[in-house]
Amino acid sequence: MDKLLSNKKALITGGTRGIGKAIARCFAEHGASLALFGINEVRGKQVIKELQPHLESDQKVLFFPVDVSDSKATMSAIAKVYSELGQIDILVNNAGVTRDNLLMKMSEEEWDKVLNTNLKSLFNTCRQVIRPMMKGRSGKIINIASVVGLIGNPGQTNYAASKAGMIGFTKSLAKEIGSRGISVNCIAPGFIKSDMTEVLSDIQKETLLKQIPMKRLGEPEEIAHAALYLASTLSNYVTGQVLTVDGGMIC
Ligand code: NAP
């Protein structure tokens, strides 16, 4: 396959593990330079090492330790990305957390942690990248939501609200900036193998599998391929959409 992202610069939040790391590797293999945001510096440095063999001499991969729920820290990290890479053509808002609990038992901390990491982070990142993208009349923004934002899940009112919020945010921003050549889309993964789903018990996994026509969890690379499509020129007339990648779970 031809390289689809040659000379492109991509910022991926939560690019150090699971789905974000798979997107980073896929984008690197397709010629993009990368800025990865995450909290754990050791993991960040490790990912940079792992990606090196997949890079051509004109590609860079950088890691910035930053909490994307923190507006000021995110603003200053994005400024550093612009000074190191010169531009951001693709933004992938992938960083996310869960703090599951029944609403009756949910603490304000659990609510705030999930809403601030998963949803406020979009406000923190998008606000800063859209001005230069508008000037350049091009850009791709990809927000990693979840099927849970479309159908809900008991014990996840905070997570479902954050992911449904991402979808509303995506559709609204797509309408605001579509005329400037910028697309804004969501991917809604079903259940994908990662640290986030590793904590599920065998009984929970068995119950889940019954709801998935393809009878397996997804691989992070299968989300990365959807992200590659939305990041490349192949999707140039697609905006404001939610691409569900879930083995048929909610079809
Ligand atoms: P994961 O393995 O738990 O990885 C989460 C990533 O987000 C890590 O790189 C982590 O960095 C980063 N992160 C978390 N909080 C952050 C913060 N405040 N600031 C910066 N980075 C932060 O999760 P995953 O399964 O790959 O999920 C990735 C995205 O897909 C999430 O938005 C998740 O909601 C969504 N999703 C996942 C599934 C699934 O089944 N796995 C399904 C639907 C949607 P550190 O390593 O530094 O903590």
Side-chain angles (χ1 to χ4, degrees), residues 16-17 19 39-40 43 67-68 94 145 159 163 190 192 194:
T16 56
R17 265 194 288 152
I19 292 171
I39 294 194
N40 186 310
R43 233 186 324 259
D67 177 348
V68 291
N94 164 80
Y159 186 74
K163 296 299 183 180
I192 309 299
S194 77

Side-chain angles (χ1 to χ4, degrees), residues 12-23 37-44 47 63-70 74 93-99 113 116-118 121 143-149 159 162-163 166 187-198 200 208 217-218 220 223 245:
I12 304 168
T13 71
T16 56
R17 265 194 288 152
I19 292 171
K21 184 174 159 183
I23 295 173
F37 285 3
I39 294 194
N40 186 310
E41 289 197 44
V42 177
R43 233 186 324 259
V47 173
F63 170 73
F64 299 85
V66 58
D67 177 348
V68 291
S69 67
D70 179 331
T74 306
N93 285 301
N94 164 80
V97 291
T98 51
R99 291 292 183 274
K113 177 76 183 171
N116 289 337
T117 306
N118 300 4
S121 57
N143 298 322
I144 308 298
S146 168
V147 290
V148 168
Y159 186 74
S162 73
K163 296 299 183 180
M166 287 174 85
I187 296 172
F191 287 84
I192 309 299
K193 284 182 203 161
S194 77
D195 292 347
M196 196 176 266
T197 46
E198 193 53 43
L200 297 172
L208 266 176
L217 299 193
I223 304 304
V245 184

Side-chain angles (χ1 to χ4, degrees), residues 110-245:
E110 287 168 332
W111 177 267
D112 286 344
K113 177 76 183 171
V114 171
L115 268 290
N116 289 337
T117 306
N118 300 4
L119 183 57
K120 190 183 172 198
S121 57
L122 269 63
F123 172 76
N124 293 339
T125 56
C126 291
R127 217 169 31 140
Q128 227 179 319
V129 304
I130 56 173
R131 202 181 291 271
M133 281 182 177
M134 283 161 82
K135 271 194 184 160
R137 298 212 155 249
S138 77
K140 302 275 192 180
I141 298 176
I142 302 159
N143 298 322
I144 308 298
S146 168
V147 290
V148 168
L150 293 166
I151 59 170
N153 199 22
Q156 292 199 308
T157 50
N158 50 0
Y159 186 74
S162 73
K163 296 299 183 180
M166 287 174 85
I167 292 169
F169 178 104
T170 298
K171 288 177 180 289
S172 303
L173 186 59
K175 287 182 175 169
E176 282 183 25
I177 61 179
S179 64
R180 311 299 178 96
I182 305 165
S183 65
V184 193
N185 290 292
C186 273
I187 296 172
F191 287 84
I192 309 299
K193 284 182 203 161
S194 77
D195 292 347
M196 196 176 266
T197 46
E198 193 53 43
V199 295
L200 297 172
S201 68
D202 286 346
I203 295 175
Q204 283 173 311
K205 281 186 189 158
E206 256 175 52
T207 313
L208 266 176
L209 289 179
K210 284 187 190 141
Q211 301 166 43
I212 303 172
M214 287 188 167
K215 298 294 168 213
R216 63 175 177 86
L217 299 193
E219 300 291 335
E221 291 71 24
E222 290 172 316
I223 304 304
H225 293 153
L228 176 64
Y229 164 68
L230 291 175
S232 75
T233 55
L234 295 176
S235 62
N236 271 0
Y237 200 50
V238 177
T239 196
Q241 300 304 307
V242 182
L243 175 51
T244 302
V245 184

